[in-house]
Amino acid sequence: MAAASCVLTEDQFLCPICLDVFTDPVTTTCGHNFCKSCITQHWENDGQHKCPMCKKLLHKRPELQVNTFISEMTSHFRLSAKRTDRSSSEQQCAKPHIPCDICAGIKLRALKSCLVCLASYCERHLEPHLTASALRKHQLINPVKNLEGRMCKKHNKPLELFCKNDQMCVCMLCTVFEHKVHTVVRLKEESEGKTAELAKSKTEIQDMIQKRQLKIQDIKHSVALSDKDADRETAAGVQIYNILRYFLERGLKEITETVEEKKRITQGQAQGFIIELEQEILQLMKRRSELEQLSHSEDDLDFLQTFPFLSASLPNKDWSKVNIPPPIYEGTVRKAMEMNYEWLKTEALSKERQKLYEAELRKVQQYAVNVTLNPNTAHCVLVLSNDEKQVRCTDEWRNLPDNPERFSMRGNVLGRQGYSSGRFYFEVHVNEKNQWGLGVARQSVNRKTDMPMSPQNGYWQLCLKDNEYKVSGDPPVSLSLKSKPKNVGVFVDHEEGLVSFYDTDDIALIYSFTGCSFTEKLYPCLNPCFYDGGKNSAPLIITPVPHTGNVTI
């Protein structure tokens, strides 16, 4: 029986007085149904026993009994309405209760609105429009509010057409005058087209919501990885400084504070992104609900006037490029240990120091990228291998185009790929050479003049010249290394302003540029140096990074 009641329309369960679903429905002798309390209150206020629907006068106030059949049907309808609350809500928005403009006192629900009279009529007051010959020519529509807004203010004619040129609703006379040469279609035709756009907008919004939800999961995952790294690094610091607790309490405190600060920064950044994403999701869900309600509207004019506002001003931030890279905690403990070199002379701490270098190198190797060299940037004495992974110097000056990218004064070559954010790492084999230089360079370095290779001029380099290791500067800074590196790793962290060089065989940090400010793309930069009569003819070789999933960027 509940299933049967769902077939009936809502109007059949509405009291004509309160316009709500029947409560204790009763039937008068004339056959009309009302809520018991509504008809009782109406008779008490009116002083007469008239039927509000047919106006029949009842000489004696009848003893009203609840109509059990209608009451049962109403109960089933209420249950059905609860199960489909959302759908019912949308129907209510699509079919609002419009009161009759003619009824005096209690206004019954209007069945139709007249675009000529600009009034809405209930069943009784609509009858003249259905019977009188003069009124039958009037244009009747489903009941709507604001009938004045459906008339052309200039020609006082119904707005029943749509101008595609001006994107506005117009009347028949508008097409003769102001919109004579414009493309004009029926409201229904334009509404159908906009309905397709509405469906597309709903799909796009749903996609945007899903992408933001996935981004929240990605950010939370990044924070979880950051927390694990922080816990692991803190534990490593505790293990090391337990060896000489008395001497290293100050160092342990500094390590913990540094790690926690990076952890707080990461969590704060992530929380900010999450809050912003959640706010956008709420905004999008609200807009989706508004579009859903609009999609059920049978009012073409209201649909077309409302649709542009609901289709505009959506969040347009590109979240695909937003990430929370976990801070590199490796190195925190090592830096604190090196505050006092005498502590590191003990055998126990030297072993722990080596473990830290190994962990740090493994960490940065996770950011390995596939570097290839760009022949358009190579100096005319340089020759690249076919796979663009090797570069060597010759004693021949090749006749190459002097394009703006090519180095003319220094024997440099840049990588094809530039990096403007995040972290990257690559390794270069240098063992067979007695002179070389490698590192990274800014995209805008001067390639046509002989300028010092310093950070101020856009170079962060490590080089071997005249049996001495140096890093770029003005003047260069000399280094004292325990052994000759065979393979050198280069690591860059844009956000930290860090460029580090590693001896990957002895697993040691060679040197770090810290506190750098990178305002543009950085490119891998190699310099095989002079041919030196064939003594330095071996190439610099970009080698695969072991035990990592190298990523081509």
Side-chain angles (χ1 to χ4, degrees), residues 304-461:
L304 293 171
Q305 291 177 336
T306 306
F307 178 76
F309 297 100
L310 297 183
S311 301
S313 304
L314 293 176
N316 57 7
K317 183 171 182 178
D318 185 1
W319 285 98
S320 64
K321 298 181 181 179
V322 177
N323 293 291
I324 305 293
I328 293 183
Y329 294 97
E330 281 72 15
T332 307
V333 178
R334 172 181 52 76
K335 292 175 184 177
M337 291 173 62
E338 290 179 346
M339 291 176 60
N340 192 329
Y341 181 72
E342 294 300 323
W343 297 353
L344 301 179
K345 288 183 178 180
T346 66
E347 182 177 355
L349 286 180
S350 294
K351 291 180 179 179
E352 294 298 329
R353 183 190 185 196
Q354 189 65 20
K355 291 181 181 179
L356 291 173
Y357 280 133
E358 292 176 2
E360 183 175 339
L361 182 58
R362 286 196 301 270
K363 181 71 174 182
V364 299
Q365 284 178 334
Q366 296 178 10
Y367 297 95
V369 294
N370 183 18
V371 174
T372 55
L373 301 173
N374 186 353
N376 292 329
T377 66
H379 191 278
C380 291
V381 298
L382 301 184
V383 176
L384 273 59
S385 61
N386 291 334
D387 63 359
E388 298 179 345
K389 293 285 189 178
Q390 302 182 26
V391 58
R392 60 184 177 87
C393 185
T394 68
D395 59 353
E396 297 181 5
W397 190 284
R398 297 187 298 153
N399 186 20
L400 297 174
D402 186 21
N403 56 61
E405 300 175 82
R406 193 177 306 283
F407 285 92
S408 300
M409 298 300 296
R410 290 194 173 274
N412 292 336
V413 60
L414 300 182
R416 282 187 178 275
Q417 303 87 0
Y419 307 93
S420 57
S421 63
R423 301 156 179 163
F424 67 93
Y425 174 87
F426 63 95
E427 293 183 2
V428 182
H429 181 70
V430 299
N431 188 39
E432 288 78 20
K433 298 187 65 61
N434 54 46
Q435 293 192 78
W436 51 265
L438 59 90
V440 294
R442 274 199 311 250
Q443 184 177 21
S444 64
V445 289
N446 193 318
R447 309 180 191 201
K448 304 300 181 183
T449 59
D450 188 11
M451 302 180 65
M453 295 181 66
S454 64
Q456 291 78 12
N457 294 328
Y459 293 96
W460 290 266
Q461 296 274 314

Side-chain angles (χ1 to χ4, degrees), residues 192-257:
E192 289 173 352
K194 286 294 191 292
T195 299
E197 291 184 30
L198 182 145
K200 181 180 178 182
S201 297
K202 287 164 58 179
T203 302
E204 291 175 350
I205 289 176
Q206 181 61 30
D207 184 57
M208 293 170 70
I209 292 173
Q210 292 176 351
K211 287 181 179 179
R212 281 155 176 77
Q213 290 172 336
L214 290 175
K215 179 55 68 174
I216 288 177
Q217 295 176 7
D218 182 48
I219 291 174
K220 289 181 177 179
H221 178 66
S222 298
V223 173
L225 292 178
S226 173
D227 291 346
K228 289 181 180 179
D229 288 344
D231 295 340
R232 183 171 58 250
E233 188 69 11
T234 301
V238 172
Q239 180 180 355
I240 292 172
Y241 282 97
N242 277 340
I243 300 172
L244 294 173
R245 183 185 299 271
Y246 174 78
F247 297 99
L248 301 179
E249 282 187 352
R250 181 179 63 182
L252 179 59
K253 180 180 178 181
E254 180 179 347
I255 290 169
T256 304
E257 290 178 349

Side-chain angles (χ1 to χ4, degrees), residues 5-22:
S5 68
C6 294
V7 178
L8 298 176
T9 63
E10 181 185 2
D11 293 348
Q12 294 171 284
F13 296 97
L14 297 182
C15 171
I17 297 177
C18 65
L19 298 181
D20 202 352
V21 178
F22 285 124

Side-chain angles (χ1 to χ4, degrees), residues 437-507:
L438 59 90
V440 294
R442 274 199 311 250
Q443 184 177 21
S444 64
V445 289
N446 193 318
R447 309 180 191 201
K448 304 300 181 183
T449 59
D450 188 11
M451 302 180 65
M453 295 181 66
S454 64
Q456 291 78 12
N457 294 328
Y459 293 96
W460 290 266
Q461 296 274 314
L462 170 68
C463 62
L464 170 63
K465 288 186 179 180
D466 302 324
N467 294 319
E468 186 178 5
Y469 292 95
K470 298 179 180 180
V471 291
S472 58
D474 192 10
V477 178
S478 297
L479 303 176
S480 177
L481 304 184
K482 293 182 180 180
S483 60
K484 179 181 178 180
K486 299 177 181 179
N487 294 279
V488 176
V490 182
F491 174 69
V492 176
D493 187 332
H494 274 266
E495 281 66 34
E496 290 289 334
L498 175 70
V499 180
S500 295
F501 300 90
Y502 295 88
D503 182 339
T504 62
D505 295 290
D506 284 352
I507 310 180

